[in-house]
């Protein structure tokens, strides 16, 4: 029976994340952006209140919660500062990749050292082209942009394999289109020794799905915040004798923005629930990613527009939300590849196309 | 948190599918071809009644029906499935129809028994109907001009009503009229006008772009006497007010169902388009894939919006925003799907004899009935930014 009620545990977790995000991240969103980081104090606090370890297994000192829990936390943090959300998470989707490909042993060997050293960070990089080539146990190549100034471990994910590099990484600082709180650089991999390598197409798909879901949840947060900020502004700002929110042209925009956020969020919940329920989720994650990218590029520009000239100025955060959202959507292989993967089920289908979890019409000839 | 179907609903959905495949879709296509609604004496309706369909959800035990225990969620999912096969045929189903909600919200026990009682276990098809819309009053409900004049023992109604589903075959029609146009909504009264009432007539079955399987009927009321016993909520203004707000609240569970019908129609477009693309070697085209992916993604998100609004309704929580959101978004997603589906079929769609083309004509209505997309946005904006009622 369909039931959207969050279990108490998850509702409390979401509230904790929201309080932290609004109380700690939002007040310094421009500072974090300028300093390209969140600072030790916030890293410590984020870890202490248990937000960092939501998805980590207990062996790593985490809570061992599932995809839905992580999605909820990511949405909340990104609703304050998506760059900070990335900076605060030492593993991100690298955790999922390590778990999917290498199980507990890989987590113990590669994730644990990251978790144990505060400020250390691993990142999953999806390299479809590939831009990095491997030869005789060494990796060589360039990733044009990573949202980081420094990394201790890079999980390079391709269509059919993943490998790890940790040394001989060179970071060429970039300004970054957005997400600057996480840093921004061009990553040069200069003959880095491959520390581990796994080959598995299903594994690669699942890892990519996890990476997409991470980004999708962050995008919901940014879009929600942009919608909410502009909604509040539109109630304050008066033009032609009334709050601009009470002009139908804007009122309808505000309604459509709220709808776009909610629709995107439901696809994230759908995908996360499928992962947690052990159902096939790769295609659901790809679908959620595409929708979240589209929704964020629908909502954030309109949010800025509602502020008019003020929106274009950096005194207000909306231009940052627009840049952050745009940058997020470029991660995890980007939207075109995601569309392709989301289409796979359609191309392979024999009968009616399932829309939802355990659709009774799935695979039945109409 | 649970996003799965329970087995009972799954079984009901599978039964709808059988009925849909064997009867609803062929009948819908036939009605579309012939350009006229299924006649009231069509044997299909007899079969539906024999299957236990066409009944009221009123239990007859005092309580105003309502949809406890997952009711709205089930209604929404069944509505989606029915519309997948044929939304026009689904609306033509016997039953109290849209007249049921005002009877439940405003009717006395005696009135429910008299008008809904025959729908408890009917031995032949019966219909009820609702008439709100007028030639000059659609979304602006307050602008209805049909007049109700007090006379000895009741009221006399005069006016014109438009686009009322199943009205010419209905045993009764719940008609909204005003005792004084200057009073706006305060002046509105709901009357049950029974078939054969003198002055009720000029039934005209409209010619529609799509959804031809059911009748959308206009009619007139000329000196039409309605006894006091057929006035809903009697002369008790507070009961009437709470009843009207109850009737409006009923939209909060019917809107998600209408939105879900759009999802079902969009799904039919999607499946037809995939089948066509496969048969014609188009599935490898990235452009075609992108269109199909978008169709499915938007429909999927829409389905969740419908279910969320329905879930809130089942918990009797505030869901006005969510219900309107689903209703604002799903019909547009379904129309987009139909537009793209026609592009995939190309000139074949231009012939005007394919299911996708029919769905394209059918689905536009979903953004109009039960509150247009614009009205939904007004409702949403009231919740989101307190949009004042006088905003022009």
């Amino acid at each position: 029976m369909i039931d959207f009620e969050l279990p108490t545990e998850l509702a409390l977790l979401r509230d904790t994340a929201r309080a932290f995000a609004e109380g700690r991240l939002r007040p310094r969103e421009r500072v974090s952006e300028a300093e390209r980081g969140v600072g030790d104090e916030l890293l410590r606090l984020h870890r202490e209140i248990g937000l960092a370890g939501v998805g980590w297994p207990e062996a790593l000192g985490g809570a061992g919660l599932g995809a839905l829990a992580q999605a909820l936390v990511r949405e909340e943090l990104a609703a304050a500062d998506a760059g900070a959300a990335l900076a605060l998470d030492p593993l991100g989707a690298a955790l999922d990749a390590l778990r999917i490909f290498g199980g507990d042993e890989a987590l113990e060997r590669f994730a644990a050292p990251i978790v144990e050293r505060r400020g250390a960070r691993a990142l999953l990089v999806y390299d479809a082209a590939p831009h990095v080539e491997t030869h005789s146990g060494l990796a060589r190549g360039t990733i044009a942009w990573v949202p980081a100034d420094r990394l201790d471990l890079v999980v390079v994910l391709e269509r059919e394999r993943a490998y790890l590099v940790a040394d001989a990484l060179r970071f060429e600082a970039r300004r970054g289109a957005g997400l600057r709180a996480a840093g921004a650089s061009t990553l040069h991999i200069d003959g880095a020794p491959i520390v581990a390598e796994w080959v598995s197409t299903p594994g690669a798909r699942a890892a990519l799905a996890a990476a997409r879901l991470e980004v999708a949840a962050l995008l919901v947060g940014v879009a929600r915040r942009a919608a909410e900020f502009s909604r509040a502004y539109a109630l304050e700002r008066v033009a032609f004798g009334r709050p601009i929110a009470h002009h139908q042209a804007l009122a309808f925009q505000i309604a459509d923005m709220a709808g776009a956020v909610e629709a995107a969020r439901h696809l994230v919940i759908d995908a996360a629930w499928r992962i947690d329920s052990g159902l096939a989720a790769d295609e659901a994650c790809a679908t959620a990613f595409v929708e979240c990218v589209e929704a964020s590029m629908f909502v954030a520009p309109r949010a800025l527009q509602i502020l008019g000239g003020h929106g274009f100025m950096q005194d207000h955060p909306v231009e940052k939300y627009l840049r952050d959202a745009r940058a997020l959507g470029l991660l995890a292989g980007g939207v075109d590849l995601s569309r392709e993967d989301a289409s796979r089920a359609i191309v392979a289908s024999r009968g009616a196309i399932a829309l939802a979890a355990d659709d009774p019409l799935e695979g039945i000839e109409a | 948190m649970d996003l799965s179907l329970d087995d009972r609903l799954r079984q009901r959905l599978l039964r709808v599918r059988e009925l849909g495949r064997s009867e609803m879709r062929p009948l819908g296509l036939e009605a579309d071809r012939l350009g006229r609604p299924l006649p009231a004496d069509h044997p299909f309706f007899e079969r539906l009644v024999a299957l236990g369909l066409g009944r009221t959800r009123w239990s007859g035990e005092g309580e105003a029906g309502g949809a406890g225990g997952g009711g709205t969620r089930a209604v929404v999912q069944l509505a989606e499935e029915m519309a997948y096969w044929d939304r026009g045929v689904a609306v033509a189903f016997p039953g109290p129809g849209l007249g049921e909600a005002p009877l439940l919200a405003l009717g006395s026990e005696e009135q429910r028994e008299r008008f809904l009682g025959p729908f408890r276990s009917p031995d032949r098809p019966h219909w009820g109907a609702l008439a709100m819309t007028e030639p000059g009053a659609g979304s602006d409900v307050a602008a209805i001009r049909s007049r109700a004049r007090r006379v000895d023992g009741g009221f006399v109604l005069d006016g014109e009503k438009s686009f009322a589903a199943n009205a010419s075959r209905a045993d009764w029609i719940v008609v909204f009229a005003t005792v004084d146009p200057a009073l706006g909504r305060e002046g509105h009264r709901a009357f049950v006008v029974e078939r054969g009432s003198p002055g009720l007539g000029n039934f005209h079955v409209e010619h529609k772009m799509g959804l031809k399987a059911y009748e959308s009927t206009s009619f007139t009321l000329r000196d039409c006497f309605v006894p006091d016993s057929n006035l809903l909520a009697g002369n008790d203004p507070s009961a009437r007010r709470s009843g009207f707000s109850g009737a409006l609240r009923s939209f909060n569970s019917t809107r998600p169902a209408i939105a879900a019908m759009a999802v079902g129609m969009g799904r039919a477009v999607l499946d037809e388009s995939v089948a066509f693309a496969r048969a014609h070697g188009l599935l490898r085209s990235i452009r075609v894939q992108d269109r199909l992916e978008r169709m499915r993604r938007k429909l999927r998100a829409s389905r969740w919006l419908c279910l969320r609004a329905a879930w809130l309704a089942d918990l009797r929580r505030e869901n006005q925003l969510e219900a309107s959101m689903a209703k604002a978004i799903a019909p547009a997603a379904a129309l987009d799907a139909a537009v793209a589906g026609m592009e995939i079929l190309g000139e074949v769609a231009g012939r005007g004899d394919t299911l996708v083309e029919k769905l394209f004509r059918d689905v536009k209505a979903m953004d109009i009935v039960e509150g247009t997309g614009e009205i939904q946005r007004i409702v949403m904006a009231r919740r989101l930014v307190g949009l004042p009622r006088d905003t022009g």
Side-chain angles (χ1 to χ4, degrees), chain A residues 67-352:
Chain A
L68 181 59
Q70 293 180 75
L72 292 170
V73 170
R74 283 171 174 146
E75 178 187 328
E76 292 305 327
L77 298 188
D81 187 344
L86 288 173
L88 285 165
D89 190 342
L91 290 169
L95 171 77
D96 304 278
L98 289 170
R99 180 165 42 201
I100 288 162
F101 282 106
D104 289 346
E105 192 196 325
L107 290 178
E108 172 67 35
R109 208 169 135 214
F110 303 110
I114 301 288
V115 165
E116 278 154 20
R117 194 153 51 82
R118 184 171 309 139
R121 215 177 132 199
L123 192 72
L124 181 140
V125 171
Y126 187 66
D127 186 27
H131 295 291
V132 182
E133 310 216 312
T134 59
H135 211 286
S136 322
L138 297 178
R140 210 177 289 281
T142 298
I143 304 292
W145 165 61
V146 291
D149 284 338
R150 193 180 63 78
L151 291 167
D152 302 274
L153 179 72
V154 175
V155 180
V156 183
L157 181 65
E158 295 178 356
R159 269 308 204 198
E160 295 170 0
R161 67 164 180 165
Y163 60 91
L164 309 181
V165 289
D167 297 317
L169 307 178
R170 190 159 55 81
F171 296 87
E172 185 187 348
R174 300 289 188 180
R175 181 171 61 180
L179 307 171
R180 289 178 198 153
S185 47
T186 296
L187 170 61
H188 300 282
I189 302 179
D190 299 333
I194 294 173
V195 187
E197 181 186 1
W198 300 276
V199 178
S200 159
T201 303
R205 283 187 185 160
L208 182 54
R212 284 173 174 151
L213 190 59
E214 176 192 19
V215 173
L218 294 169
L219 280 167
V220 172
V222 180
R224 181 185 106 196
R225 171 65 179 151
E228 177 51 31
F229 188 94
S230 57
R231 185 189 72 89
Y233 181 92
L235 284 168
E236 297 287 319
R237 175 78 178 190
V238 172
F240 306 103
R242 58 172 65 151
I244 59 174
H246 293 174
H247 294 289
Q248 249 182 28
L250 265 72
F252 281 22
Q253 295 266 15
I254 289 165
D256 287 340
M257 290 156 70
V261 172
E262 201 65 24
R265 177 189 288 117
H266 276 295
L267 292 185
V268 168
I269 292 171
D270 177 11
W273 180 82
R274 292 184 73 108
I275 290 177
D276 291 345
S277 305
L279 298 167
D282 296 355
E283 175 270 328
C285 290
T287 299
F289 181 90
V290 177
E291 184 64 17
C292 290
V293 173
E294 281 190 8
S296 72
M297 287 300 103
F298 175 85
V299 170
R302 279 166 180 75
L304 193 152
Q305 186 75 14
I306 287 172
L307 274 74
H310 286 291
F312 202 66
M313 305 301 148
Q314 299 199 311
D315 304 331
H316 290 288
V318 185
E319 63 83 27
K320 175 178 176 296
Y321 302 148
L322 176 54
R323 289 185 294 105
D324 285 349
R326 180 58 286 179
L328 276 170
L330 308 177
L331 294 169
V335 78
D336 285 340
L337 203 59
S338 204
R339 259 187 250 280
E340 211 171 285
D341 287 351
S343 303
R344 188 172 297 125
I346 299 176
V347 174
S349 69
R350 280 284 150 251

